[in-house]
Amino acid sequence: MTLARRAFLRTAGGAFLAAGALKASPAFCAPAARHLKFENLHTGESLALDYWSDGAYHPQALAEINKVLRDYRTGEVHAIEPGLLDLLHDMNARLETVAPYQVISGYRSPRTNAALHEHSNGVASKSLHMQGMAIDIRVPGRQLAAVHDTALSLGRGGVGFYPSSDFVHVDVGRVRKWNGV
Ligand SMILES: [Zn+2]
């Protein structure tokens, strides 16, 4: 065997090994599961679960999330838009945190929303909270401004900044932004 031939074999073998290593490395695979954690500040309930894996949302996990994000004033449960969960999942990744989302407001029934709207200019009468498409959150260990910037950077819906109330509103409606109090 010539030297050149040996060099070729070595290279080919090396390339083969590299390809094998690439395939096995989790860094090069799409995440197999999507995980979320919530802590509802009104009810004290918390939840940590995989809500998606292998290309499908888990109905049981979605049902548990819907319950924790229910209208705590009336007890009404409404489906939360899975796209909102994906938005939260992607925010976690960008914020490089696994801390639970602290939830100030998830689903709001029309009755609750109307009552809040009456007492606050900051509550829209046609709020996306009533469709399970919006959530008000803060993230322990991360500055509110960082959470705000991250939500804006994803550009996937509405983002409201409420520094005095210490939360960020995110939704999966039209892309827009505003400042509250
Ligand atoms: Zn909100």
Side-chain angles (χ1 to χ4, degrees):
M1 194 183 285
T2 64
L3 267 179
R5 173 81 178 142
R6 253 203 304 269
F8 170 77
L9 282 176
R10 235 188 350 254
T11 307
F16 177 77
L17 281 176
L22 239 159
K23 212 172 180 184
S25 164
F28 290 89
C29 301
R34 296 178 197 157
H35 189 81
L36 277 174
K37 291 184 199 164
F38 295 104
E39 195 182 311
N40 186 315
L41 295 181
H42 293 289
T43 64
E45 291 165 305
S46 56
L47 193 61
L49 41 61
D50 287 346
Y51 69 95
W52 179 99
S53 64
D54 300 324
Y57 293 102
H58 301 172
Q60 185 55 38
L62 296 184
E64 286 184 51
I65 291 171
N66 295 344
K67 188 164 169 259
V68 165
L69 301 185
R70 70 188 177 279
D71 183 332
Y72 76 95
R73 292 177 176 87
T74 67
E76 286 163 89
V77 176
H78 188 280
I80 300 297
E81 181 71 38
L84 183 64
L85 305 180
D86 290 336
L87 171 64
L88 294 174
H89 174 264
D90 293 347
M91 282 178 64
N92 261 345
R94 286 209 186 183
L95 286 164
E96 297 181 331
T97 180
V98 291
Y101 281 104
Q102 294 187 329
V103 180
I104 289 89
S105 186
Y107 170 65
R108 287 206 292 254
S109 67
R111 191 151 55 106
T112 293
N113 199 75
L116 291 173
H117 175 65
E118 211 161 280
H119 294 106
S120 165
N121 291 330
V123 175
S125 60
K126 300 252 190 295
S127 166
L128 291 175
H129 284 279
M130 293 193 295
Q131 295 175 51
M133 292 170 67
I135 190 166
D136 298 338
I137 45 150
R138 68 177 75 120
V139 181
R142 292 293 177 270
Q143 297 285 332
L144 197 67
V147 177
H148 181 230
D149 289 346
T150 301
L152 286 176
S153 73
L154 285 165
R156 241 185 265 170
V159 180
F161 188 46
Y162 294 82
S164 300
S165 308
D166 193 20
F167 71 79
V168 172
H169 163 113
V170 294
D171 66 54
V172 283
R174 231 164 13 87
V175 174
R176 64 216 188 285
K177 60 177 176 179
W178 65 91
N179 285 324
V181 285

